[in-house]
Amino acid sequence: MARRSSADPVVQEERRSIRVLLAEDMDLLRTALVSLLSVEEDIEVIADLKCNEKAVSVAVRLRPDVAVVSADLPENKGLTTVHELRKRLPECQIVALTVKRPVGLLKRLLAADVSGLIDKNAPAARLLHAIRGVAQGGTVIDANLVIAALSAGRNPFTPRELSVLQLAAQGASGPEIAKQLSLSPGTVRNYLSNAMNKTGARTRIDAIRIATESGWL
């Protein structure tokens, strides 16, 4: 059998780039992330948008390999985008970018089965590693975020207190809560007072915020 000469051309299969969609509300940060990813030979940014329904519809149309989503946005926009992507494009791997707090968000992201969860304070190389890792079917989650999520204390609310607080978080008034749960207005006030005491909050709004950030709501 003839041996291949060292001068013979070797045909190698070209590796396909990882097609990435980026969802981030802050224009400056989104532009910086696009610049970071675009210089990598094996990564192609196919779209960069704000976190909203348009980002999801574009993802469904373009079918990226990986969606990098800024998850810690006001009004749970990032988390909603993650959930919609998971539901409508299950084959797309999701890398969520967030900070340590609130821990409630971290718990929800882990429950959403994201493939990557990266601290926004991590070095840029960490994001690149995560994109490449999840594109190959792996899971890349920063340990400090997992520790922060697990550090939240046990839910201190009774089931009834939690029901009352959840309705209050949805904007229901005391009388509306009483009607929905078949309670007296005085009982509802007592439950809300208990929730405030257990969270150390001065108002029901603070109690809702603390409970949400702690992952209890």
Side-chain angles (χ1 to χ4, degrees):
M1 179 182 295
R3 299 180 59 185
R4 180 187 297 272
S5 168
S6 60
D8 290 343
V10 178
V11 178
Q12 296 183 342
E13 182 180 353
E14 182 179 355
R15 290 185 60 185
R16 188 174 70 86
S17 295
I18 302 169
R19 302 172 71 252
V20 174
L21 178 141
L22 178 63
E24 161 62 54
D25 272 19
M26 295 180 62
D27 293 338
L28 185 60
L29 178 55
R30 189 172 66 253
T31 301
L33 289 173
V34 170
S35 298
L36 168 70
L37 300 180
S38 296
V39 298
E40 302 297 317
E41 294 183 355
D42 60 336
I43 295 176
E44 177 188 3
V45 179
I46 60 173
D48 63 282
L49 311 95
K50 294 188 176 183
C51 281
N52 50 34
E53 179 58 30
K54 181 180 179 181
V56 177
S57 62
V58 169
V60 171
R61 177 168 56 85
L62 298 180
R63 311 188 80 79
D65 301 309
V66 178
V68 177
V69 181
S70 184
D72 54 350
L73 298 175
E75 301 176 0
N76 284 329
K77 287 198 299 180
L79 183 60
T80 299
T81 300
V82 167
H83 281 302
E84 286 298 306
L85 285 170
R86 175 60 63 233
K87 179 173 66 175
R88 298 177 58 184
L89 201 62
E91 67 273 19
C92 176
Q93 305 302 317
I94 299 174
V95 175
L97 305 180
T98 186
V99 292
K100 288 185 180 180
R101 300 285 175 174
V103 294
L105 173 61
L106 298 179
K107 289 182 176 180
R108 288 177 172 86
L109 288 169
L110 291 172
D113 197 27
V114 294
S115 301
L117 185 57
I118 304 302
D119 191 337
K120 282 187 173 180
N121 293 311
R126 183 62 176 162
L127 174 59
L128 298 175
H129 170 71
I131 291 173
R132 293 178 175 119
V134 303
Q136 294 175 3
T139 300
V140 183
I141 297 179
D142 282 348
N144 63 316
L145 297 181
V146 176
I147 293 171
L150 296 176
S151 67
R154 179 183 61 85
N155 192 326
F157 302 118
T158 66
R160 184 60 84 181
E161 289 168 350
L162 194 58
S163 297
V164 169
L165 203 58
Q166 286 172 334
L167 289 173
Q170 295 169 13
S173 65
E176 290 171 338
I177 296 173
K179 183 177 181 180
Q180 290 192 49
L181 298 180
S182 299
L183 300 172
S184 70
T187 300
V188 170
R189 286 194 296 271
N190 288 338
Y191 281 133
L192 289 173
S193 179
N194 290 343
M196 290 163 56
N197 289 334
K198 289 181 177 180
T199 56
R202 293 184 177 182
T203 67
R204 74 166 65 178
I205 299 300
D206 279 342
I208 291 168
R209 176 185 58 78
I210 293 169
T212 300
E213 291 181 352
S214 298
W216 299 328
L217 277 183

